Amino acid sequence: MKGRWCAVLGAGAIVVAGAAAAQSGDILQKAINTPAVAYSFYGPGQTSKPVKADVAGGHALQVTIEAPGATVWQVGASSPIAKPIAKGDKIVVAFWARAPKLAADATTPIPFAGVSLAAAPYTPLVTGSAAVGRDWKLHQVTGVAASDAAGGAAMVSLHLGAAKAVLEFGPIFVIDLGKAGAPAASPS
């Protein structure tokens, strides 16, 4: 997977590689974050470190959660969103993740994976969840923004306090597809 960014968006897969990234139809032009391995971990009983990984860019961040939190949001990860979000926009959050120490058929929950305001009261804008297994997978949460957020005022939020776990996170993408239900612009 090195050197290739894959994102599953809607009904199809979009692959961006080499020269394709320079084309005007590049989905990453709609990114409202800086696509990268860009997470801040917080909460008691967690430690994190960079690790080599078989995902785009060749590295990930590993977080060890020693025990479930008193609440699922007590331990978590966040990633900044630099650009503004308009109420009614269709937002896709896609992130690579795995739990390498799990049995082959087991998963560990991320009960909240989505976009929220970056300051109290941390109002959710787009909500979803994920079940992370042992192998690398591109997880995605898609929704319609419940309200506006100024540039820098929103973040991706992942609640990790549901279970004792070792998780690894690769690149994260936040794509704004514009107004939900609006026809796509014609290519020029």
Side-chain angles (χ1 to χ4, degrees), residues 5-16 27 92-96 137-142 173 175 177:
W5 296 88
C6 299
V8 178
L9 302 173
I14 297 172
V15 178
V16 179
I27 191 68
V92 178
V93 177
F95 60 95
W96 287 98
K137 178 180 174 186
L138 184 64
H139 298 271
Q140 80 174 24
V141 174
T142 302
F173 311 85
I175 309 296
L177 297 174

Side-chain angles (χ1 to χ4, degrees), residues 18-169:
Q23 295 178 1
S24 63
D26 182 0
I27 191 68
L28 292 181
Q29 291 178 1
K30 296 179 180 287
I32 57 175
N33 72 326
T34 300
V37 179
Y39 302 88
S40 295
F41 297 100
Y42 62 87
Q46 61 80 24
T47 57
S48 62
K49 65 181 180 180
V51 294
K52 290 184 179 184
D54 190 21
V55 293
H59 71 282
L61 290 175
Q62 182 182 82
V63 60
T64 301
I65 301 147
E66 297 297 332
T71 63
V72 296
W73 60 85
Q74 187 174 17
V75 177
S78 63
S79 187
I81 297 174
K83 295 183 181 176
I85 297 172
K87 179 179 181 176
D89 280 3
K90 184 174 184 179
I91 305 296
V92 178
V93 177
F95 60 95
W96 287 98
R98 74 176 186 155
K101 300 195 182 230
L102 288 179
D105 59 346
T107 61
T108 191
I110 298 178
F112 179 89
V115 176
S116 65
L117 293 180
Y122 305 103
T123 305
L125 304 178
V126 174
T127 62
S129 62
V132 178
R134 183 173 72 181
D135 297 322
W136 283 110
K137 178 180 174 186
L138 184 64
H139 298 271
Q140 80 174 24
V141 174
T142 302
V144 176
S147 62
D148 293 334
M155 66 179 178
V156 173
S157 180
L158 305 173
H159 294 170
L160 306 177
K164 177 179 179 176
V166 174
L167 295 161
E168 292 179 357
F169 292 95

